């Protein structure tokens, strides 16, 4: 399968990357990492992702999402015929509430591609 | 994380301990949460109706409930428990975020909903927060949960932030006098 995983600079994003890599290794899937940064620099996120992939010894394509990350992810997934979008399942607030950010919400509501949220 | 708060403070909240009679005629005690309240809270959350869960809390299993209560009744937190006799029937918690504001959440057991316990619990928790010198309180709520949203609005929370599945609300407490005294 062709998988695209969306990774922002958050801890949850990096955990999601690791889960997606483990799954891709087990299933022999082809993985693309779409990096974005809601606040701050996407280049920093890209560097962190590259380091993590090196550490995991896994080769994946990295694509930087410019503009609105949710809209771009939906667009790229459909245009390039990915089978699945993988995203972090949201942040956890100080008292434990799951919070779904606007990127995740946009993708869930708009993607025609199957979406997996990692918790 | 929440970084926008209303400019005008809200005050006049009662602090615990206090008792009141709910609209069903039940005498309800409101006390600050202490370690002795934890077992009653575990029982309350084990009895909680799954459809009243919000954004993943309370957790389902007893182990997860205890682990979660460790956080929300821990040193970075304040809380008020509503009791009817020996049973905990409602709980409001305030947990510190990394910016010195406090996130609030409230749960009321199904049989005790719609009896003004939620309103009194949250007002009392804000009275406790005011007494503790907490100035900024925020919460997130699923945007289809209109009973909760109107409760929060009634006690003075205002909507802030962008709409998502959850909307965020915030309130500024009037700790001005206390701050001046300290300063």
């Amino acid at each position: 399968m062709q998988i695209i995983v969306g990774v922002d600079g958050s801890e949850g994003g990096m955990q999601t990357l690791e889960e997606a890599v483990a799954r891709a290794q087990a299933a022999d899937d082809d993985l693309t990492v779409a990096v974005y940064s809601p606040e701050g620099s996407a280049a920093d996120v890209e560097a962190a992702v590259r380091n993590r992939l090196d550490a995991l010894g896994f080769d994946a394509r990295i694509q930087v999402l410019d503009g609105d990350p949710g809209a771009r992810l939906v667009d790229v997934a459909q245009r390039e015929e990915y089978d699945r979008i993988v995203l972090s399942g949201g942040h956890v607030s100080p008292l434990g509430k799951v919070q779904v950010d606007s990127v995740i919400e946009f993708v869930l509501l708009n993607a025609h591609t199957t979406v997996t949220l990692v918790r | 994380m929440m970084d926008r708060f209303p400019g005008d403070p809200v005050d006049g909240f009662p602090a615990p301990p206090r008792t009141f009679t709910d609209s069903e005629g039940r005498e309800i005690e409101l006390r600050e949460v202490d370690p002795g309240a934890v077992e009653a809270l575990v029982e309350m959350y084990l009895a909680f109706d799954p459809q009243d869960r919000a954004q993943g809390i309370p957790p389902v299993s007893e182990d997860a409930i205890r682990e979660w209560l460790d956080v929300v009744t821990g040193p970075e937190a304040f809380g008020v428990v509503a009791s009817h006799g020996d049973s905990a029937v409602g709980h409001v918690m305030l947990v510190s975020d990394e910016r010195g504001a406090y996130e609030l959440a409230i749960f009321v057991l199904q049989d005790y909903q719609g009896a003004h316990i939620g309103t009194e619990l949250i007002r009392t928790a804000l009275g406790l927060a005011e007494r503790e010198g907490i100035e900024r309180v925020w919460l997130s709520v699923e945007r289809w949960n209109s009973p909760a949203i109107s409760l929060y609005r009634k006690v003075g929370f205002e909507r802030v932030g962008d709409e998502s599945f959850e909307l965020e609300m915030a309130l500024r407490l009037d700790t001005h006098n206390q701050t001046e005294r300290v300063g």
Side-chain angles (χ1 to χ4, degrees):
Chain A
M1 287 217 293
Q2 309 282 319
I3 312 290
I4 186 163
V5 54
V7 176
D8 63 10
S10 69
E11 197 182 322
M14 294 310 258
Q15 279 167 6
T16 302
L17 174 65
E18 294 206 355
E19 294 238 8
V21 166
R23 174 73 197 146
Q25 284 171 326
D28 200 21
D29 285 336
D30 189 44
L31 189 69
T32 297
V33 185
V35 301
Y36 63 96
S37 177
E39 33 196 74
S41 141
D44 290 348
V45 181
E46 186 184 0
V49 164
R50 206 172 289 282
N51 282 340
R52 191 65 61 97
L53 287 173
D54 285 348
L56 294 167
F58 187 80
D59 192 27
R61 196 156 66 95
I62 299 179
Q63 184 168 355
V64 176
L65 299 177
D66 302 313
D68 183 276
R72 288 282 297 138
L73 192 53
V74 168
D75 190 59
V76 169
Q78 198 161 344
R79 208 177 290 276
E80 299 180 16
E81 298 182 346
Y82 282 93
D83 299 299
R84 186 181 296 264
I85 298 170
V86 178
L87 281 172
S88 158
H91 311 283
V92 177
S93 75
L95 61 71
K97 282 189 172 178
V98 175
Q99 296 185 293
V100 174
D101 67 31
S102 59
V103 174
I104 298 169
E105 178 173 355
F106 186 92
V107 171
L108 283 180
L109 294 176
N110 289 282
H112 290 264
T113 312
T114 298
V115 181
T116 296
L117 295 185
V118 177
R119 288 262 157 91
Chain B
M1 200 58 49
M2 174 63 55
D3 53 7
R4 279 170 284 185
F5 290 85
D8 292 331
V10 185
D11 64 2
F13 297 111
R18 50 189 290 258
T19 56
F20 77 102
T21 304
D22 77 1
S23 60
E24 304 280 325
R26 296 172 291 211
E27 180 135 317
I28 304 293
E29 240 184 83
L30 302 172
R31 293 183 174 279
E32 187 170 357
V33 171
D34 60 25
V38 170
E39 290 309 311
L41 287 174
V42 171
E43 290 305 312
M44 173 184 135
Y45 285 116
L46 281 172
F48 214 72
D49 187 332
Q51 75 175 22
D52 281 346
R53 299 174 74 217
Q55 295 154 267
I57 55 172
V60 176
S61 73
E62 181 170 341
D63 284 352
I65 288 170
R66 288 184 183 278
E67 204 174 304
W68 173 66
L69 283 173
D70 276 349
V71 175
V72 302
T73 65
E76 303 292 304
F78 297 96
V80 175
V81 58
S83 306
H84 180 221
D86 291 333
S87 303
V89 301
H91 178 208
V92 55
M93 64 211 80
L94 291 144
V95 179
S96 171
D97 69 18
E98 71 264 31
R99 298 184 188 184
Y102 281 74
E103 183 186 9
L104 177 145
I106 177 169
F107 294 97
V108 175
L109 215 49
Q110 286 66 33
D111 288 349
Y112 292 83
Q113 291 176 5
H116 298 308
I117 294 174
T119 309
E120 291 309 316
L121 244 184
I122 200 165
R123 291 180 68 240
T124 308
L126 291 170
L128 170 66
E130 205 172 353
R131 191 174 74 194
E132 297 292 335
I134 293 170
E135 197 175 344
R136 292 167 299 142
V137 180
W138 62 276
L139 59 88
S140 72
V141 54
E142 288 151 334
R143 69 180 174 222
W144 49 85
N145 190 353
S146 40
I149 294 166
S150 39
L151 165 62
Y152 297 139
R153 188 171 290 146
K154 189 167 70 178
V155 298
F157 280 89
E158 294 177 22
R159 277 168 62 166
V160 291
D162 306 321
E163 286 245 335
S164 181
F165 285 135
E166 322 76 51
L167 60 90
E168 292 184 322
M169 304 179 83
L171 174 146
R172 185 180 295 279
L173 285 165
D174 192 1
T175 54
H176 189 64
N177 291 335
Q178 289 163 9
T179 311
E180 269 187 349
R181 252 179 271 140
V182 171

